[in-house]
Amino acid sequence: MGYKHDPDEIVAGGVALVLDEGLSRLSFGRLAKRMGISDRSIVYYFPTKPALVEAVVGRLGQRLFALLDDAFGAEPLTPDEMARRAWPALSSPEADGVFALWFQLVGLASAGIEPYDELARVSLGAWIAWLAPRLAVDDDEDPAAAAASLVATIDGLLLV
């Protein structure tokens, strides 16, 4: 017996659900109903809710990185220049859903709710690891620390 759905299709459905209803509303049953499939079809590819949530958050993170790749270009930039270039991309309607999800993730993590607390740490680490090699920093400066500072600056700007 073959399955007529694939993991990418299920993740895309999860992304749509999360953008419409919020991260805390993602469940096997709700996603299955939205997609018109059995929840067993979802469990076949994502055996746990944390696996499904991680895949959905990861896909949205890829959207964020694509937006920023376009804004930053190929050459390393100073943190100030990165923030300046990032702002138009990150304050666009395309990015609104991604950051709404990010702030939901942080809020759920702050409440100590699994799997969100671990996933927020992993997501933040991935964002810092992605930014660090793109930063032009002094030789005595830690690129990861500069990237973490940039993330905090951008998050603060988006909250305002």
Side-chain angles (χ1 to χ4, degrees), residues 1-86:
M1 166 170 61
Y3 288 90
K4 60 182 177 180
H5 301 283
D6 65 51
D8 287 335
E9 182 182 10
I10 292 169
V11 171
V15 165
L17 186 147
V18 171
L19 291 175
D20 288 347
E21 298 183 32
L23 186 59
S24 64
R25 304 280 293 165
L26 180 61
S27 68
F28 292 131
R30 188 168 277 112
L31 180 56
K33 183 176 181 182
R34 182 182 181 110
M35 294 182 70
I37 62 176
S38 160
D39 58 352
R40 281 180 250 134
S41 296
I42 297 169
V43 173
Y44 178 79
Y45 295 104
F46 302 97
T48 65
K49 182 175 179 180
L52 177 61
V53 170
E54 183 178 342
V56 169
V57 169
R59 178 72 55 86
L60 286 162
Q62 290 170 350
R63 285 187 185 180
L64 172 65
F65 294 159
L67 282 171
L68 292 174
D69 260 343
D70 291 343
F72 295 158
E75 296 299 314
L77 302 170
T78 66
D80 287 344
E81 180 62 17
M82 242 185 208
R84 189 186 69 71
R85 289 189 187 188

Side-chain angles (χ1 to χ4, degrees), residues 112-129:
I113 300 171
E114 282 287 348
Y116 309 106
D117 56 348
E118 178 61 23
L119 187 54
R121 281 190 287 280
V122 169
S123 297
L124 179 59
W127 195 5
I128 290 169

